[in-house]
Amino acid sequence: MNRIHIEARSDWVAQVEGLGFKFHSIGGCYWNEAACYVFTEAEIDLLDDVTAELHQMCLSAVDHVVASGQYGRLAIPEWCHSRIEASWRSGEPSLYGRFDLCLDPTGTPRLLEYNADTPTSVYEASVIQWQWLKEQYPKHDQFNSIHEKLIERWRVVARGAPTFHFSSIGSCEEDFLTTEYLRGTAEQAGVATRYLPVEQVGWSESARCFVDMNDKPITHWFKLYPWEWLISDEFGRMLPESSINLVEPWWKMILSNKGILAILWELFPNHPNLIPSYFTSSRLANGYVRKPLLSREGANISMVHGKIITSSPGDYGKEGWVFQESVMLPEFDGNHAVIGSWIVGDQPAGIGIREDDTPITRDTSRFVPHYFI
Amino acid sequence: MFACKSSFARRNRSGYGEIVAKKRFTSDDIVVVVGIAVIFAMMFIEQDECSLEYRSLEDCTNEWPGNQCIQYQGMYYGPPVDHCESAVGGSRGYQGNAESKSKSTGVKRGGFGRSGRGGS
């Protein structure tokens, strides 16, 4: 994995905006094609294999949590347990997830965390960097079949759905455009869809179901809205009563919780693709990263080595914490790089690289395209 | 664990083994990108008269001049169109006063949602 400086396309703004990618400059610079990452084929094969293996390990971890009822360690409310179990045992399908990996000095990918519920950067990984590749390096290849695999997966996920409703926070452009992209992939799979802001989802007292803007029942719902918010909102308690089918499904609540990192380490101790993680810091004398069980976009993360070295602000942490051994992200010209490796259904589907000036990847961390040789 | 599969088949965009391998050096991939561009252009640029949602005030005003546009949760909405699905603005349009609507239909809204980002 190398980072090279290159010339950005002179008309890159028009190019990406022409594809509907409007949030290319959030935080000043988000899409950065003045550089790119170059992998070898062997490195890509390794990322592919590791992603598949991590996915299987995560499924085993869900099975373990459900079988042993260890929801308390993840601060999942008791009223959700039976619904999670039913969701898991009936095999409710998942659409996608993103493993955030770092390459250690030996080139081994290791799991920093798993964005299993509401992963974003999917549009830029799937479409924008692919267009970039075709224009800039048409003779090279890219680890990227995200778009095709999403379409393929929707045919499974949406089977039997009369209409699939899609929601995000209405005021957030990035979430809205990401949701619209995913809705587009569902449409290409032949699924009838409709968008409505999550704030506009209605609850019908008479029909005891969720309804859309036209008061029509929502039977299948993709929400780019975290599970932990969903269940703590006013309408959350209505979810078990309704017969709504959700993407991501209930059982993803287990995997989207950072406590899963500690459970994975318990189940697969010393696995080369995991980083030692615990529910307590006492076993990490040489420094650790403290992460809230529930948090987003790098919020409330502290790096501790005797004292706090660096930390990020936020409102998370009241549910508890997980402690992960401190590992250094690979650094290229002062840029700390994280590989987001996509799983769609059960298949590894591609990668997107985010980089930041700091060791903590945040919502504004730059997206840098890649190719391999 | 994937020894029987070619590495190319696992990572190519279409990802379906032999069929895909044949497509590697064709223009199909460009067609996919262009197709997506067309879809997004339809999503964000063209507006059918029942889809009254606009990304900016300028876009909305171009279609609906004279202070007809309403800002609502970061989006802009034109006025209701009578023949559209909903009498208050179409399936994706501004719904007017949700509270008064609730009184007449028994539907309560606003039970989900908070500020910020849901993605990660």
Side-chain angles (χ1 to χ4, degrees):
Chain A
M1 179 183 183
N2 282 309
R3 184 183 193 273
I4 59 172
H5 290 277
I6 56 171
E7 185 112 358
R9 292 169 292 178
S10 59
D11 61 344
W12 72 266
V13 172
Q15 290 274 6
V16 302
E17 289 191 353
L19 291 169
F21 183 46
K22 308 290 187 188
F23 51 97
H24 50 72
S25 297
I26 52 172
C29 172
Y30 174 57
W31 170 262
N32 177 19
E33 62 171 68
C36 71
Y37 284 91
V38 184
F39 293 83
T40 65
E41 186 170 349
E43 287 173 326
I44 293 296
D45 285 346
L46 179 62
L47 286 167
D48 192 323
D49 288 345
V50 168
T51 302
E53 184 165 354
L54 287 172
H55 174 63
Q56 291 303 321
M57 290 160 63
C58 284
L59 297 182
S60 296
V62 174
D63 208 40
H64 172 74
V65 170
V66 169
S68 58
Q70 294 186 30
Y71 303 102
R73 304 175 85 190
L74 304 176
I76 296 175
E78 191 171 349
W79 64 271
C80 297
H81 299 180
S82 61
R83 194 62 195 82
I84 290 172
E85 287 169 20
S87 164
W88 174 246
R89 293 192 167 126
S90 65
E92 287 182 2
S94 159
L95 178 68
Y96 68 162
R98 193 192 74 232
F99 294 98
D100 283 348
L101 310 172
C102 72
L103 287 190
D104 73 9
T106 69
T108 303
R110 302 180 80 188
L111 178 64
L112 293 165
E113 58 188 64
Y114 183 27
N115 292 282
D117 183 18
T118 60
T120 49
S121 77
V122 63
Y123 182 50
E124 41 274 47
S126 172
V127 175
I128 306 303
Q129 74 165 345
W130 183 255
Q131 186 215 32
W132 167 87
L133 176 81
K134 290 285 118 181
E135 293 210 343
Q136 296 289 72
Y137 297 96
K139 293 182 179 175
H140 289 305
D141 210 340
Q142 190 175 83
F143 183 19
N144 185 0
S145 58
I146 300 168
H147 185 80
E148 289 76 7
K149 286 194 168 76
L150 283 169
I151 294 171
E152 180 187 6
R153 187 60 181 170
W154 275 118
R155 296 194 174 105
V156 175
V157 171
R159 191 173 291 149
T163 298
F164 228 103
H165 285 80
F166 286 71
S167 294
S168 63
I169 295 172
S171 58
C172 179
E173 181 182 51
E174 183 177 351
D175 284 1
F176 171 73
L177 292 174
T178 298
T179 304
E180 283 290 81
Y181 167 64
L182 291 167
R183 194 168 74 86
T185 60
E187 289 272 345
Q188 289 184 54
V191 181
T193 69
R194 183 166 290 185
Y195 177 84
L196 78 165
V198 69
E199 302 90 337
Q200 291 301 314
V201 170
W203 173 255
S204 170
E205 289 290 345
S206 56
R208 310 302 293 170
C209 68
F210 292 105
V211 295
D212 65 12
M213 310 281 262
N214 301 316
D215 296 348
K216 291 178 179 163
I218 299 173
T219 60
H220 295 74
W221 189 28
F222 171 91
K223 81 279 162 325
L224 194 66
Y225 191 74
W227 261 111
E228 64 269 20
W229 293 1
L230 209 62
I231 61 173
S232 61
D233 283 352
E234 181 188 349
F235 279 178
R237 290 292 187 129
M238 281 84 161
L239 285 164
E241 180 183 347
S242 75
S243 56
I244 195 167
N245 296 280
L246 287 134
V247 173
E248 292 293 309
W250 283 83
W251 58 265
K252 275 295 191 80
M253 219 186 295
I254 294 171
L255 291 179
S256 64
N257 187 301
K258 290 185 177 58
I260 200 64
L261 297 169
I263 291 174
L264 282 168
W265 188 249
E266 287 174 5
L267 294 175
F268 304 98
N270 301 312
H271 191 285
N273 302 121
L274 298 178
I275 298 169
S277 301
Y278 306 95
F279 286 104
T280 171
S281 63
S282 59
R283 299 177 69 179
L284 294 168
N286 295 324
Y288 57 83
V289 179
R290 189 184 76 161
K291 300 179 176 183
L293 293 182
L294 302 171
S295 77
R296 310 210 154 243
E297 303 293 352
N300 295 102
I301 288 176
S302 299
M303 300 184 73
V304 178
H305 202 297
K307 60 180 181 179
I308 294 178
I309 299 170
T310 183
S311 63
S312 56
D315 301 321
Y316 300 96
K318 69 177 188 296
E319 293 85 3
W321 307 85
V322 69
F323 301 84
Q324 189 177 54
E325 185 179 277
S326 185
V327 295
M328 295 309 294
L329 296 177
E331 194 175 332
F332 304 88
D333 302 329
N335 300 287
H336 300 80
V338 169
I339 300 169
S341 188
W342 290 91
I343 189 95
V344 177
D346 296 313
Q347 300 181 72
I351 58 172
I353 293 114
R354 303 281 300 278
E355 62 178 28
D356 203 285
D357 301 335
T358 77
I360 298 175
T361 305
R362 300 164 294 182
D363 58 343
T364 54
S365 297
R366 297 174 292 277
F367 189 105
V368 183
H370 82 279
Y371 69 86
F372 70 86
I373 51 178
Chain B
M1 61 190 293
F2 291 105
C4 61
K5 295 168 67 177
S6 79
S7 60
F8 174 73
R10 289 156 52 191
R11 61 178 178 260
N12 186 276
R13 280 187 64 76
S14 294
Y16 295 106
E18 297 305 313
I19 296 172
V20 173
K22 290 175 186 171
K23 293 167 67 177
R24 182 174 186 181
F25 300 110
T26 73
S27 60
D28 284 7
D29 295 322
I30 295 170
V31 171
V32 169
V33 172
V34 171
I36 292 164
V38 170
I39 289 164
F40 267 84
M42 291 171 68
M43 281 181 185
F44 300 118
I45 298 171
E46 295 180 8
Q47 297 281 337
D48 68 57
E49 62 182 340
C50 291
S51 177
L52 303 172
E53 193 175 68
Y54 298 88
R55 308 289 308 152
S56 70
L57 179 60
E58 184 182 8
D59 290 345
C60 185
T61 305
N62 285 341
E63 197 75 22
W64 304 99
N67 297 321
Q68 295 186 80
C69 296
I70 301 164
Q71 184 182 16
Y72 181 65
Q73 296 188 347
M75 303 294 286
Y76 295 88
Y77 296 89
V81 175
D82 287 344
H83 68 270
C84 295
E85 280 184 290
S86 166
V88 286
S91 62
R92 286 200 281 164
Y94 177 65
Q95 292 296 294
N97 187 325
E99 190 177 350
S100 64
K101 185 174 171 58
S102 298
K103 286 173 185 168
S104 61
T105 63
V107 171
K108 188 177 179 184
R109 298 189 192 277
F112 286 131
R114 54 183 77 183
S115 60
R117 281 205 61 203
S120 58

